Amino acid sequence: MPLVEIGPSDCRTEAFAAQGSGAPEPHYNRPIEILTVCTGNVCRSPMAEAFLRRDVAALELDVTVGSAGTLRDGLAAAEEVVEIMDKRGIDVERHRSRLMTPDMLVSADLILGMTRDHVREAALLDFDCFARSFTLKELVRRGGAVGPRHRDEPVAAWIKRASDGREPRDYLFADDDDIEDPIGRRFSFFKRTATEIEDLTTALVGLLWPIM
């Protein structure tokens, strides 16, 4: 399997001509931008970014996927992450952490925190982004409840449906929708985290771009 290389910037996955490819036509959608967020931007959010970029590329979608963290810039992906992703055919050696900024949040159509703390941090930087900020687990759960996006439904409209009834105070207590940080844990915990994130991102892509 050829490597999918994930570099230091959130590069756009360009839509390719589907003529002659035999691939089913995905739902219509304008170009969108997704931002994944964790603490150090060296483990969970880079993996979520990489899995999403792989899957939207397979569907030939015009989607930009990037990642950021709440600590600092310039850190390489954790060695465990590099090894785990390499075995999945994804190269993250060139990844470098980015500090989440208000500009990133303003431009993103969808913000996916790995924990509710990350959603809160995003809202503190730009409260207007709360309506399109979720934990990854939460959005998959809510998306499963409202059903996949309709063929001609804008992504923003589907996100609004999935967000119905949410309140900022919901992010103050229970942590059922958090993906635990594997940093400092055994390699087996990293592997479980990667599998958990991959399952969730695959489910999310299926909800946002179901093939009909």
Side-chain angles (χ1 to χ4, degrees):
M1 179 186 296
L3 289 179
V4 177
E5 186 174 350
I6 306 300
S9 61
D10 59 336
C11 302
R12 179 173 298 276
T13 300
E14 298 293 346
F16 297 99
Q19 294 181 354
S21 69
E25 181 181 352
H27 287 195
Y28 163 79
N29 187 63
R30 69 173 180 82
I32 70 164
E33 183 174 335
I34 299 173
L35 180 70
T36 66
V37 180
C38 70
T39 303
N41 191 213
V42 297
C43 184
R44 290 167 292 176
S45 59
M47 288 195 291
E49 173 192 7
F51 289 135
L52 285 169
R53 289 175 65 177
R54 178 197 63 189
D55 291 349
V56 298
L59 291 175
E60 299 182 346
L61 298 168
D62 193 0
V63 178
T64 300
V65 187
S67 65
T70 60
L71 288 182
R72 55 181 172 175
D73 294 314
L75 298 177
E79 292 180 4
E80 296 90 341
V81 171
V82 173
E83 180 177 345
I84 289 167
M85 299 304 282
D86 182 70
K87 290 179 179 178
R88 285 169 161 82
I90 302 174
D91 182 0
V92 297
E93 286 196 17
R94 293 180 59 243
H95 172 81
R96 295 296 180 269
S97 65
R98 301 190 304 160
L99 183 64
M100 181 172 62
T101 66
D103 286 345
M104 293 179 192
L105 300 173
V106 168
S107 65
D109 298 277
L110 177 61
I111 299 147
L112 299 170
M114 299 299 105
T115 71
R116 295 175 331 132
D117 282 346
H118 304 134
V119 176
R120 288 197 294 264
E121 289 289 334
L124 286 172
L125 283 178
D126 176 21
F127 186 74
D128 289 342
C129 80
F130 175 75
R132 59 186 191 280
S133 302
F134 305 79
T135 69
L136 177 57
K137 272 189 181 180
E138 174 194 20
L139 185 55
V140 170
R141 173 172 55 78
R142 284 179 164 273
V146 303
R149 186 168 67 92
H150 306 314
R151 176 170 294 276
D152 295 320
E153 181 180 24
V155 166
W158 184 85
I159 291 172
K160 184 176 180 180
R161 283 202 291 127
S163 182
D164 187 48
R166 292 167 71 232
E167 297 287 346
R169 64 173 177 266
D170 297 337
Y171 288 76
L172 296 177
F173 302 107
D175 59 359
D176 294 347
D177 287 326
D178 288 358
I179 297 172
E180 289 188 63
D181 192 347
I183 295 295
R185 308 285 190 96
R186 294 179 181 273
F187 187 74
S188 59
F189 197 96
F190 278 85
K191 291 173 66 177
R192 289 198 298 273
T193 302
T195 297
E196 180 180 22
I197 292 173
E198 184 173 24
D199 288 347
L200 289 165
T201 53
T202 297
L204 180 59
V205 170
L207 288 165
L208 281 170
W209 295 283
I211 303 299
M212 296 177 63

